[in-house]
């Protein structure tokens, strides 16, 4: 029951939520669930392959993604919104100094989402 609630919450928050954001949304539906239970279930769901843990660079908290198809992530440096980014290439497009089979890639692109880019391109009086 609790695991399903955590999974449903990650799926409903299509924003690549942090564990804390998942917890904040889970307790709106079940006040009895503890933070440790949410964190434990996120780790379990990721290890079971039902969600993906997205390691973030630096000191930012990891995020979670329900989209299991091969893709990267792009993060807006202004508002923090994350979106999925897809590569048109294949693992054969990489070059290695010795034989290597790519199994997974974690890459986070940083820039501005469309909404923030539009806001920042507007003159100050129009914001």
């Amino acid at each position: 029951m609790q695991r399903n609630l955590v999974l449903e919450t990650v799926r409903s928050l299509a924003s690549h939520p942090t564990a804390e954001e998942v917890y904040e949304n889970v307790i709106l539906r079940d006040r009895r669930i503890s933070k440790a239970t949410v964190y434990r279930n996120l780790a379990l769901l990721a290890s079971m392959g039902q969600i993906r843990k997205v390691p973030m660079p630096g000191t930012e908290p990891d995020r979670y993604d329900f989209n299991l198809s091969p893709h990267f992530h792009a993060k807006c440096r202004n508002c923090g919104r994350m979106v999925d980014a897809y590569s048109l290439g294949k693992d054969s497009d990489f070059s290695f100094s010795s034989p290597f089979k790519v199994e997974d890639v974690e890459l986070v692109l940083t820039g501005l989402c469309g909404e923030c880019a539009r806001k920042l391109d507007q003159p100050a009086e129009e914001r």
Side-chain angles (χ1 to χ4, degrees):
M1 168 73 180
Q2 292 175 328
R3 186 180 318 148
N4 288 335
L5 179 57
V6 171
L7 179 60
E8 288 172 18
T9 302
V10 172
R11 286 186 175 152
S12 71
L13 297 171
S15 59
H16 304 84
T18 64
E20 186 65 26
E21 290 168 335
V22 173
Y23 172 70
E24 289 169 0
N25 281 271
V26 164
I27 61 170
L28 295 176
R29 293 179 57 194
D30 183 353
R31 301 287 279 154
R32 298 169 295 147
I33 196 167
S34 71
K35 187 180 285 193
T37 298
V38 171
Y39 280 57
R40 191 170 40 253
N41 277 287
L42 285 168
L44 180 62
L45 289 165
S47 72
M48 293 170 58
Q50 292 188 355
I51 60 174
R52 174 186 286 181
K53 182 178 178 178
V54 181
M56 297 300 294
T59 60
E60 288 191 54
D62 295 334
R63 294 178 177 250
Y64 293 87
D65 191 355
F66 68 91
N67 180 354
L68 301 176
S69 68
H71 67 283
F72 303 112
H73 297 94
K75 181 176 178 277
C76 179
R77 66 176 165 77
N78 190 53
C79 70
R81 178 180 299 134
M82 286 191 67
V83 298
D84 293 337
Y86 296 91
S87 170
L88 300 176
K90 298 179 175 70
D91 63 348
S92 60
D93 293 336
F94 291 93
S95 175
F96 299 97
S97 60
S98 62
F100 190 86
K101 181 181 181 226
V102 175
E103 294 177 342
D104 192 22
V105 177
E106 291 297 337
L107 172 69
V108 177
L109 307 165
T110 304
L112 291 172
C113 68
E115 187 176 326
C116 287
R118 280 190 298 279
K119 286 179 183 175
L120 293 174
D121 285 343
Q122 293 177 355
E125 62 272 3
E126 293 181 24
R127 286 187 213 159

